[in-house]
Amino acid sequence: MSSSSDFQQDRHSFSGSPQKWNDFELPGDTLYYRFTSDMSNTEWGYKFTVTAGHLGRFQTGFEILKQMLSEERVVAHLPLARIWEWQVGVACRQTGHQRLKAIHLLLKIVQCSAQRDCDLTLLKPLWQLFTHMENNLCHDMAKPGILLPLHRALAELFFVTENRVTELGTLQEYLLALNTEDHLHRCTAQ
């Protein structure tokens, strides 16, 4: 199956038992498929279901929420505290591009939240990931390189968040909530 007639773009090939088949998405409005039998069995073939505009998919939700967070008149009516909680959970569970997109939405929420809409202490697992990446970067200074997209996204999120809590006058509480007691002891000892 592919999104192009020459089967070169977004190609997905399957063979064998139905357990080997995975759900997947293709961009665009056209699906090309080719079925080839090796004549080893006398079964009837394969069956697959095609669904357009699959609502509930990550990308669909991301695009809708990104658009809603970009509209000032809509943001006032959104349950930002709940959305924040969901998105932090998504950013902690997902990997790759989906994690980056969740962090992008967290950044938009921090930038558009008017008051203390977001429980910033929920960022603790992401803060731990970020500090781990920072520590590894310090150890690898002999071979400088480009920061990973996740590292850059987290750096921007925490930079903007720190500025936001400074504006709200809650920087100390925020920093205490994100760090572990062990980390605070090490910093004090240093």
Side-chain angles (χ1 to χ4, degrees):
M1 295 180 205
S2 175
S3 63
S4 65
S5 60
D6 62 359
F7 294 92
Q8 297 302 310
Q9 296 176 355
D10 306 306
R11 183 180 175 154
H12 297 271
S13 296
F14 299 97
S15 178
S17 67
Q19 290 78 20
K20 293 183 179 179
W21 286 59
N22 296 322
D23 190 20
F24 65 92
E25 294 183 36
L26 285 178
D29 60 0
T30 305
L31 163 79
Y32 296 90
Y33 70 96
R34 183 179 355 191
F35 176 77
T36 307
S37 173
D38 64 2
M39 308 292 250
S40 63
N41 291 325
T42 56
E43 305 293 328
W44 64 269
Y46 286 101
K47 173 182 169 183
F48 58 91
T49 304
V50 177
T51 307
H54 215 329
L55 290 177
R57 294 288 187 162
F58 186 91
Q59 184 64 30
T60 303
F62 169 77
E63 292 297 334
I64 291 169
L65 190 51
K66 182 176 77 170
Q67 186 61 39
M68 291 173 72
L69 291 169
S70 299
E71 304 273 339
E72 283 185 46
R73 65 183 200 276
V74 175
V75 169
H77 302 286
L78 294 175
L80 285 181
R82 292 192 66 201
I83 294 171
W84 174 261
E85 189 176 327
W86 294 332
Q87 284 307 122
V88 170
V90 168
C92 291
R93 286 188 308 275
Q94 294 295 337
T95 58
H97 290 293
Q98 291 183 340
R99 177 178 272 172
L100 289 173
K101 289 177 179 180
I103 291 169
H104 174 79
L105 292 175
L106 290 173
L107 186 59
K108 286 187 86 60
I109 294 169
V110 167
Q111 291 169 328
C112 71
S113 61
Q115 301 139 358
R116 299 171 188 229
D117 291 324
C118 310
D119 180 0
L120 298 175
T121 63
L122 294 175
L123 291 174
K124 190 170 189 169
L126 294 175
W127 176 253
Q128 290 170 339
L129 174 62
F130 177 66
T131 55
H132 177 73
M133 293 175 98
E134 286 285 299
N135 290 338
N136 287 344
L137 183 66
C138 291
H139 295 328
D140 293 342
M141 288 308 279
K143 46 183 178 172
I146 299 172
L147 292 180
L148 295 172
L150 175 59
H151 194 162
R152 288 194 317 266
L154 288 171
E156 184 177 7
L157 174 65
F158 287 110
F159 176 75
V160 170
T161 304
E162 185 177 321
N163 286 337
R164 188 76 181 116
V165 295
T166 300
E167 291 170 7
L168 295 171
T170 59
L171 180 60
Q172 183 174 353
E173 294 88 354
Y174 167 71
L175 292 176
L176 288 172
L178 288 185
N179 289 289
T180 63
E181 192 172 324
D182 183 46
H183 178 74
L184 294 173
H185 284 298
R186 277 196 316 254
C187 289
T188 304
Q190 288 175 346

